[in-house]
Amino acid sequence: MCCLSPSPSASATSSRRGQIVASEWPPGSSSGSNPRSDGPPPSPDPPPRAVVHTEDEEFGGSPPAKRARPEPGCGDGVCTADRPPADGVDRISDLPDAVLLSILSFLPLRDAGRTAVLSPRWRGLFNQSLLDFNACQPFPPEEGRGCDWFIRAVTAILAARRRRVRIRSFRFVMYGRGFDGRLGVVDGWFRALARHGIRELDVDMFYTAPMPTLPGSLLKLASLETLKLFYCRFPNAGSAPAPRLPALKTLDLSNVNVSQESLQAILSHCTSLECMKLKNITGVDRICLRSKSLARLYGDFGNLKEIVVEDAPNLEELVGIGLPSGEAKVKIVFAPKMQVLGYLGTSVRPLVLHDTVFDGGIMQLRTLMHSVKTLAIQVPFSEKGYTVFVAQLLKCFPCLETLQVEPNKRSISRRVNVEEWDTANSIQCIEHSINKVVFECFGGEDCQWGFLTFLLGMARALKLVELYCWTGKDWSSDQIELLDPRNRASPDAEIQFFRICKPISDHYLCHCCTWRCQKENRVTLL
């Protein structure tokens, strides 16, 4: 990884994984402050500047000061008599490349660069150690290292790389007005990355003003597999020529302005796209999904008016955490492999599943979604008829195995009328297939206990119930009695209580903690 770092302590030691740092340490000696005890000794040299060497140059700059000659036979404090006998074998060079690359990743760049003169093999190892670039503009600027220094350094780094040397990943973070009138520089970076076979690109225009529009060369990175953009405007991909991103598999847009035409062009022309995350995007009010490759689509989707899954033969997961708070219509025409769907609520209407139109009330079922195994719903406990809404909705998914439930916010903040659940009404998934229930933001209100009791009394295949309680109150004895195994259809079902400080609304599918999402391989939007 190639990194530009302003930190004095980082300059000496944190060239981890091949970071590019200032050429000397510390960044200045005029402050009169005491040096860190764990860093190198202070240097009387003037303030540093970013130094980039080409591969044909010697990595060392000015020769280091000569050290005092140790006493004969006692170098580094260890006498020759105490050393094991040498056999003349170069044991370091006998190590495999993976081990040597790991060693190089912990050396400062200048020291790692010196190894390139040892042999052709070591030169190749040094090139491989610079596969990952991480360039972050110092904030606030220190010792003259502001926008100009940052841009010059990144440009010099890319210019020093030979065409045949690959760059696996490239990330740069820019603050403020650094790219005002300089987007041509970014265009040059993208073109250079295309020549080096870039696979992962992360562009973070943190708090830039105004929000910059990225150059069109971004859409010509033929080797790019992962693209993450934050706080910028997506280039216009709706006009000719079409985007040339044949290898793109993951697209992550956060706080990005993108036009309707550009998003549709990406979905249509990126034939390898498998995962798309959209958070706080603007400029789009409708998504029409026609993609043979896309498997996962995540977003908040609170501002959308319509989501249409028209032709997605490989789509497995569709999750919008903001759907219940918006007014989006959801229409699923063709998604035969869909396994995860959410969050659905009363505001998501009409919900069209093939030729079945669900509008919150009793309807005639024509098409059932047997493929869906995990469903996330928001139960509108504060609205009249919520029991009918939930019962009818669950009938659309007869093979459901995991049910994620969250209450609507109004039912948490005020007292609501409790409705009776119809236990005589048969719901196939509850009686035969649901084996796990996750109740988010469980506050112990009577309406929530009523739904939980209904599920426990009907679910014969139930094995686990997880209740995430974000209130710290104690449960009364009469409510605990409701969880008595004798009152359950599945007496062996395990019920677990978890206490959380507050609901976390920025995770997909799981509003619990990040650790649980990672442990269970769930998708999170951070």
mmCIF file of all heavy atoms in Angstrom, residues 77 340 362:
data_model
loop_
_atom_site.group_PDB
_atom_site.id
_atom_site.type_symbol
_atom_site.label_atom_id
_atom_site.label_comp_id
_atom_site.label_asym_id
_atom_site.label_seq_id
_atom_site.Cartn_x
_atom_site.Cartn_y
_atom_site.Cartn_z
ATOM 1 N N GLY A 77 26.767 -5.487 20.465
ATOM 2 C CA GLY A 77 26.770 -5.923 21.857
ATOM 3 C C GLY A 77 26.898 -7.416 22.057
ATOM 4 O O GLY A 77 26.827 -7.900 23.178
ATOM 5 N N VAL A 340 -33.673 -13.204 0.127
ATOM 6 C CA VAL A 340 -33.768 -12.221 1.202
ATOM 7 C C VAL A 340 -34.512 -11.001 0.681
ATOM 8 O O VAL A 340 -34.171 -10.456 -0.370
ATOM 9 C CB VAL A 340 -32.366 -11.809 1.705
ATOM 10 C CG1 VAL A 340 -32.482 -10.783 2.823
ATOM 11 C CG2 VAL A 340 -31.586 -13.031 2.178
ATOM 12 N N ILE A 362 -56.908 -8.126 2.611
ATOM 13 C CA ILE A 362 -57.125 -9.484 2.124
ATOM 14 C C ILE A 362 -57.154 -9.464 0.603
ATOM 15 O O ILE A 362 -57.809 -8.651 -0.021
ATOM 16 C CB ILE A 362 -58.442 -10.048 2.683
ATOM 17 C CG1 ILE A 362 -58.364 -10.091 4.216
ATOM 18 C CG2 ILE A 362 -58.734 -11.418 2.120
ATOM 19 C CD1 ILE A 362 -59.640 -10.543 4.867
#
